Amino acid sequence: MIVHLPCWEIKNQGRLFRPILMDNLNSEAVEEQFCTVDEMASILKITRQSVYNKIHAGRAGFSIPPYVKVGNLVRFRNTDYRDWYKKLRMNGS
């Protein structure tokens, strides 16, 4: 359900979205893709709680890819995951 709000805000399924102004960001930052904790847990074939446990233990960058906080949400950049995975493979061989 989409609710009509002022032109700079769109509410969809209870979440508020604001468009990104292109004059403040470069196009590379806008095109960057992120994974949620659930998606990363699925990729790594571990539980969601294990991801949070590793973050809490300070293991990000070692046993899981580095993460970023977006507000109070944890997100994983796809580029960081690929770089982490390449290093993991090089260290393992």
Side-chain angles (χ1 to χ4, degrees):
M1 176 176 136
I2 296 179
V3 178
H4 293 286
L5 295 171
C7 62
W8 63 90
E9 295 181 343
I10 299 172
K11 196 164 191 174
N12 186 2
Q13 297 178 351
R15 297 187 337 199
L16 189 63
F17 297 95
R18 290 187 178 92
I20 298 171
L21 301 175
M22 289 300 291
D23 56 348
N24 293 338
L25 298 171
N26 63 26
S27 61
E28 182 180 311
V30 173
E31 292 174 6
E32 189 155 30
Q33 299 289 322
F34 293 87
C35 290
T36 64
V37 172
D38 290 331
E39 292 168 337
M40 188 53 62
S42 175
I43 291 168
L44 298 175
K45 295 182 177 35
I46 60 176
T47 65
R48 177 181 193 227
Q49 189 58 49
S50 292
V51 174
Y52 282 117
N53 290 346
K54 291 174 188 299
I55 289 170
H56 182 71
R59 301 295 301 159
F62 300 104
S63 57
I64 61 170
Y67 67 93
V68 293
K69 295 279 286 205
V70 180
N72 63 347
L73 303 174
V74 174
R75 294 291 182 258
F76 297 90
R77 288 187 186 103
N78 287 348
T79 55
D80 289 346
Y81 167 73
R82 282 192 295 271
D83 294 343
W84 172 81
Y85 187 73
K86 286 177 188 174
K87 285 184 205 173
L88 189 68
R89 291 189 54 173
M90 285 191 294
N91 292 339
S93 45

